[in-house]
Amino acid sequence: MRRRAVVLAVAAAAAWTALYLLDLASVSRAALLADGVLLLAAAPLIVIADVAARRRTPARATGTVLACEGEGVEPSGWEYTLTVRFTSPDGRDHVFTESGRPRRRPSDPVTVRYDPRDPARARLDLGAAPAWTAAAVVLLTGAVVTWFAAR
């Protein structure tokens, strides 16, 4: 729930700033500066949240895509819901679904991260690149907004 609130706050700040830069909204310099600072502060939080999620799910396994459903939006194609099965070291099969992922074909292998004490807490392991990319975009946007507010 906290992650969703942070994402919404960052999105609102970025949208408000974009409207100001396009001269579609009048915003005070103080508000613009606050937006820039919020974005600058949010960038490292994105990476910290990713590291924390990785620590909560330390075990890795190879899973198999059972189904890929949804209407993907090309070119990104990140609008699919995957159903994945993996086997934990105790030999039990676990199935979970995850939304907002790239298209995969049924029977494709995927890397899964899960909590060995609670394998139901599983998620796809996309690596650190998505979090670092998002953090870089937010950081760059925050730097530009802060620069516009300070000039």
Side-chain angles (χ1 to χ4, degrees), residues 78-90:
W78 284 69
E79 296 298 324
Y80 294 94
T81 299
L82 300 179
T83 302
V84 177
R85 179 181 58 224
F86 71 97
T87 305
S88 58
D90 61 8

Side-chain angles (χ1 to χ4, degrees), residues 46-122:
I46 293 169
V47 175
I48 291 169
D50 184 61
V51 169
R54 289 173 174 282
R55 286 190 179 157
R56 285 191 303 268
T57 56
R60 293 174 63 170
T62 299
T64 303
V65 174
L66 298 177
C68 179
E69 301 168 340
E71 299 296 323
V73 178
E74 298 300 334
S76 70
W78 284 69
E79 296 298 324
Y80 294 94
T81 299
L82 300 179
T83 302
V84 177
R85 179 181 58 224
F86 71 97
T87 305
S88 58
D90 61 8
R92 292 188 300 161
D93 282 343
H94 303 277
V95 177
F96 70 97
T97 60
E98 192 166 322
S99 298
R101 295 295 167 223
R103 178 188 300 210
R104 304 274 194 215
R105 289 176 297 193
S107 77
D108 276 356
V110 291
T111 304
V112 175
R113 293 184 75 89
Y114 68 97
D115 183 348
R117 294 171 297 192
D118 183 11
R121 290 181 52 185

Side-chain angles (χ1 to χ4, degrees), residues 120-137:
R121 290 181 52 185
R123 65 185 186 94
L124 293 178
D125 184 12
L126 300 175
W132 281 97
T133 302
V137 169

